[in-house]
Amino acid sequence: MTKLIVKLKKFVDDREWDQFHNPKDLSISISIEVNELLEIFQWKSENTPINKNDIEKIKNEVADIYIYLLLLCEKLNIDLEKETANKISRNEKRFPIETSLGIAKTTDMDK
């Protein structure tokens, strides 16, 4: 991931866009891109197949989400891989297999 962040930072720095990349605006941008991803699925039933055109749109939106997330993490000195691994470990405790298998609801425990 380091090579990707370096490439992304160069892209941003070459355009002097870092001045616009504060945590608030990056968070807003993530939300906007997530909503653009949701828009692809809007008004479709669960059984509607995802076509090639939709896949291309989805690829673009997940890339945008990931880019803004990487920028936010870089700005706040968050190690995304480490924090993701930590979250998975917490979720393993929060959702043990014996009480969570096949169940799609959360508990009141700390997220």
Side-chain angles (χ1 to χ4, degrees):
M1 187 162 26
T2 303
K3 287 181 183 180
L4 187 59
I5 293 171
V6 169
K7 184 174 183 175
L8 180 56
K9 281 294 294 169
K10 180 176 180 353
F11 176 85
V12 169
D13 291 344
D14 287 350
R15 289 155 182 80
E16 297 182 355
W17 287 353
D18 189 62
Q19 62 184 315
F20 308 115
H21 292 167
N22 60 71
K24 175 193 73 77
D25 288 331
L26 290 169
S27 296
I28 289 169
S29 296
I30 292 167
S31 179
I32 290 167
E33 297 302 335
V34 167
N35 282 293
E36 289 178 8
L37 175 62
L38 288 171
E39 189 175 32
I40 297 166
F41 297 96
Q42 187 177 23
W43 311 121
K44 294 181 180 180
S45 73
E46 288 181 25
N47 300 327
T48 303
I50 299 173
N51 61 45
K52 289 180 183 181
N53 186 46
D54 287 340
I55 291 290
E56 290 307 311
K57 291 178 186 176
I58 291 167
K59 287 179 185 179
N60 283 315
E61 297 310 330
V62 297
D64 285 341
I65 293 163
Y66 192 56
I67 287 168
Y68 283 123
L69 183 59
L70 286 174
L71 289 169
L72 177 65
C73 289
E74 192 276 330
K75 181 67 70 175
L76 297 174
N77 297 314
I78 295 170
D79 181 331
L80 183 57
E81 287 185 76
K82 177 184 170 192
E83 295 309 320
T84 301
N86 289 341
K87 181 64 175 182
I88 292 168
S89 294
R90 288 193 307 273
N91 282 344
E92 287 172 339
K93 292 176 185 148
R94 185 175 175 211
F95 302 106
I97 294 170
E98 56 275 2
T99 59
S100 302
L101 188 63
I103 299 171
K105 71 176 191 175
T106 61
T107 65
D108 292 331
M109 292 178 62
D110 183 23
K111 294 180 182 178

